[in-house]
Amino acid sequence: MKNQHSIMSGRFSGLSSKLIVTIIGVILFVEIIVYLPSVASFRTTWLEDRLRVGVVAARVLDAVPDVMALPRDLTDRLLNSAGANAIVYRREGQSQMIELTNPVMPDAVVTADLRQGDLPSRVWGALDTLFAGPGRTLRVVGAGDMDESLVELLMPEAPLRRDMIDYSRSIALVSLGIAAVTAFVLYVLVSRLFIDPVLRLTDNMLAFRKAPENAALILAPSSRRDEIGILERELAEMESELFSMLRQRRHLADLGLAVAKINHDLRNTLTSAQLLSDQVATLDDPKVQRLAPRLVTTLDKAIGFAQSVLDYGRETSVVPRFAAVSLRTLVEDAAFEARVSGNPMIGFENEVDAALMVDVDAGQMGRVLVNLLKNAREALETGSLEDRSSAITVAASSDADRTVISVADNGPGLPPRARENLFVAFEGSARSGGTGLGLAIAREIVEAHGGALALAETGQGTRFDITLPSRRPLV
């Protein structure tokens, strides 16, 4: 009932009403275009009929030279037939006229020359008659049936205007009828083909938006092969994918909450085990002294993994607060926090220009640099360099459009598995026991800054490039 009510309400509002108004408007516009030549033709025909009576009177005048000799009743019949006050016949420079017994002098006279057969003149003449004021006299001029002869009629314009108004009223009624019938037929046809499917799609989207986890609301597409059919199938597929994604995300959220609780308890347990391992390491037993460091290292990795999972679960999307900061200072602070600067086993070079400023969130971008520098340090500590010393270099270049920050090391490089899942959480780690969360979080932060984090192809070692757009404060 609700969907049916929304369809019925939409049938007379929105697209439906616009469709009806547009159809009627177009039809009436076409009728107006057709009406102007039609009413002009009606006026011309009406005047030609009157002029034919004038031509008959001209023949009578031409046959009887002495006009005064014509019987009065004959001239009155001719004038009444033509609806004229006077008829003038001109031929070979001579004029003859018959008129009413008591002629009335006209106040305003307008000429209608039927010898002008072009359409604009006829249309203009018809409009002039329709919008004319009362009391005008019409002077109708036309060719007679003899060579170089003219017939003129002086007649009141009111009968012509009255007949034209009646004709226009008939045309208007017919036009409205045609427009109404055509609009109804087209509306039914278009409603069947377009409006009803669009209303169905609209109602489905509104209902699915309120309850996207209700599979019963997923649209059942029709078998149409046109654009609306394609839209129905794509919408149904999108709703199915969204339903599955929301269901999966809810399951993942529940699972993540459970994992977070397990990790919390596991971390407490591992911490207790670490304390016990520290006490065991103080024993003088040679076997214990040999196995204790391995146990401590294993516990440290387990605690670090649990802590990383907890941190990632608590990770929230914070909008960066942009401010101009010195990139060189930012790199130095990150290198100190990542235990790269001052490390006797690793050489560190900060090649960033001291004058280079970047418009970033210092805390978030510092976290990105710490993650990259820490990964580089761990790669150098776990890798073997036969003929060279370990080194990490940070460089930067900037132009009007962007700033590129490069963090490079000369370590053994990334293994293929790490390259394939480089920025995927829990899968992109380059070392055994790693979580791969550092690069995933770093990429999210850089993208939140409008930039990109990518692995550069190098001959040896590993290099990550951070590309940031150059932002300048508005003046």
Side-chain angles (χ1 to χ4, degrees):
M1 289 296 295
K2 182 178 180 181
N3 290 340
Q4 185 177 4
H5 173 72
S6 61
I7 291 177
M8 292 302 297
S9 62
R11 191 178 297 278
F12 299 102
S13 63
L15 290 176
S16 300
S17 60
K18 293 178 181 178
L19 176 65
I20 295 175
V21 172
T22 301
I23 292 174
I24 294 178
V26 170
I27 293 176
L28 291 180
F29 177 75
V30 173
E31 290 290 344
I32 290 174
I33 299 300
V34 175
Y35 163 75
L36 292 177
S38 177
V39 73
S41 177
F42 176 84
R43 176 177 178 269
T44 301
T45 302
W46 194 93
L47 293 177
E48 288 177 345
D49 290 340
R50 302 304 186 274
L51 189 63
R52 290 191 187 96
V53 179
V55 172
V56 173
R59 290 178 180 175
V60 174
L61 291 175
D62 191 57
V64 182
D66 189 1
V67 177
M68 298 305 296
L70 287 176
R72 185 74 253 177
D73 59 345
L74 178 60
T75 59
D76 290 342
R77 286 199 304 270
L78 291 174
L79 292 174
N80 291 333
S81 299
N85 296 330
I87 300 176
V88 180
Y89 176 59
R90 305 180 189 276
R91 181 170 177 267
E92 296 180 355
Q94 297 180 357
S95 300
Q96 294 176 293
M97 180 178 67
I98 56 175
E99 58 182 350
L100 294 175
T101 306
N102 297 315
V104 179
M105 296 300 296
D107 295 332
V109 179
V110 61
T111 301
D113 193 345
L114 297 183
R115 295 172 297 176
Q116 297 179 355
D118 58 295
L119 182 60
S121 299
R122 293 186 177 185
V123 172
W124 177 255
L127 295 176
D128 181 61
T129 300
L130 284 173
F131 295 101
R136 289 202 319 184
T137 298
L138 195 62
R139 175 173 170 262
V140 184
V141 180
D145 58 349
M146 304 289 290
D147 294 338
E148 298 182 358
S149 62
L150 291 177
V151 178
E152 298 181 11
L153 278 71
L154 290 177
M155 54 186 298
E157 193 179 29
L160 171 61
R161 184 172 181 272
R162 183 175 57 252
D163 290 348
M164 290 178 63
I165 291 176
D166 293 339
Y167 175 79
S168 300
R169 186 180 298 111
S170 301
I171 291 294
L173 293 176
V174 173
S175 299
L176 289 176
I178 294 175
V181 172
T182 305
F184 176 76
V185 173
L186 290 178
Y187 171 73
V188 172
L189 179 62
V190 174
S191 294
R192 177 67 177 173
L193 295 177
F194 303 107
I195 300 298
D196 288 348
V198 170
L199 290 176
R200 176 171 172 260
L201 291 173
T202 303
D203 289 342
N204 176 264
M205 286 189 288
L206 293 176
F208 187 81
R209 176 179 176 272
K210 295 179 180 179
E213 296 185 0
N214 186 357
L217 296 178
I218 296 177
L219 180 70
S222 64
S223 58
R224 295 177 59 154
R225 298 297 179 183
D226 55 7
E227 288 79 0
I228 291 183
I230 296 174
L231 179 60
E232 289 177 345
R233 288 187 289 275
E234 292 297 325
L235 178 61
E237 184 176 355
M238 183 186 68
E239 290 177 346
S240 300
E241 292 177 355
L242 184 60
F243 170 79
S244 301
M245 182 180 65
L246 291 177
R247 180 69 63 87
Q248 183 181 17
R249 285 194 174 185
R250 188 178 65 179
H251 291 174
L252 289 176
D254 295 339
L255 180 61
L257 182 61
V259 170
K261 293 180 179 179
I262 294 173
N263 266 300
H264 183 270
D265 296 337
L266 178 61
R267 183 172 179 273
N268 292 335
T269 304
L270 291 175
T271 301
S272 299
Q274 187 180 32
L275 294 176
L276 293 175
S277 67
D278 291 340
Q279 296 177 5
V280 170
T282 60
L283 299 177
D284 295 333
D285 190 334
K287 293 183 178 180
V288 173
Q289 293 294 329
R290 187 174 67 254
L291 297 176
R294 297 181 181 179
L295 176 62
V296 172
T297 301
T298 302
L299 289 175
D300 286 340
K301 290 182 179 180
I303 292 173
F305 182 83
Q307 185 62 45
S308 298
V309 173
L310 289 174
D311 292 341
Y312 185 75
R314 289 194 295 264
E315 184 73 23
T316 58
S317 299
V318 179
V319 178
R321 297 183 178 180
F322 295 96
V325 297
S326 171
L327 181 57
R328 184 178 180 87
T329 302
L330 197 63
V331 171
E332 290 176 353
D333 295 340
F336 177 79
E337 186 176 349
R339 292 183 295 166
V340 170
S341 61
N343 192 322
M345 303 299 296
I346 299 174
F348 174 68
E349 292 291 336
N350 185 356
E351 298 180 356
V352 179
D353 189 347
L356 180 57
M357 306 292 290
V358 290
D359 193 16
V360 297
D361 186 311
Q364 295 187 16
M365 194 53 60
R367 185 176 180 183
V368 173
L369 293 172
V370 169
N371 283 334
L372 296 179
L373 291 171
K374 182 180 177 181
N375 289 345
R377 175 179 60 79
E378 292 175 349
L380 293 173
E381 290 175 347
T382 58
S384 59
L385 302 179
E386 298 178 354
D387 57 350
R388 61 186 184 278
S389 59
S390 302
I392 299 176
T393 304
V394 179
S397 61
S398 180
D399 55 27
D401 297 326
R402 63 179 184 172
T403 299
V404 180
I405 308 169
S406 300
V407 179
D409 64 72
N410 63 344
L414 294 176
R417 179 181 177 277
R419 288 177 176 269
E420 293 175 359
N421 305 284
L422 191 58
F423 299 104
V424 180
F426 303 106
E427 295 186 13
S429 177
R431 59 186 176 87
S432 176
T435 62
L437 295 176
L439 288 177
I441 295 174
R443 186 179 193 181
E444 290 180 357
I445 294 175
V446 173
E447 289 179 347
H449 282 69
L453 175 62
L455 175 67
E457 294 296 334
T458 57
Q460 66 178 27
T462 306
R463 191 186 87 202
F464 285 93
D465 290 340
I466 304 172
T467 304
L468 298 173
S470 296
R471 295 182 178 87
R472 291 184 173 85
L474 298 177
V475 179

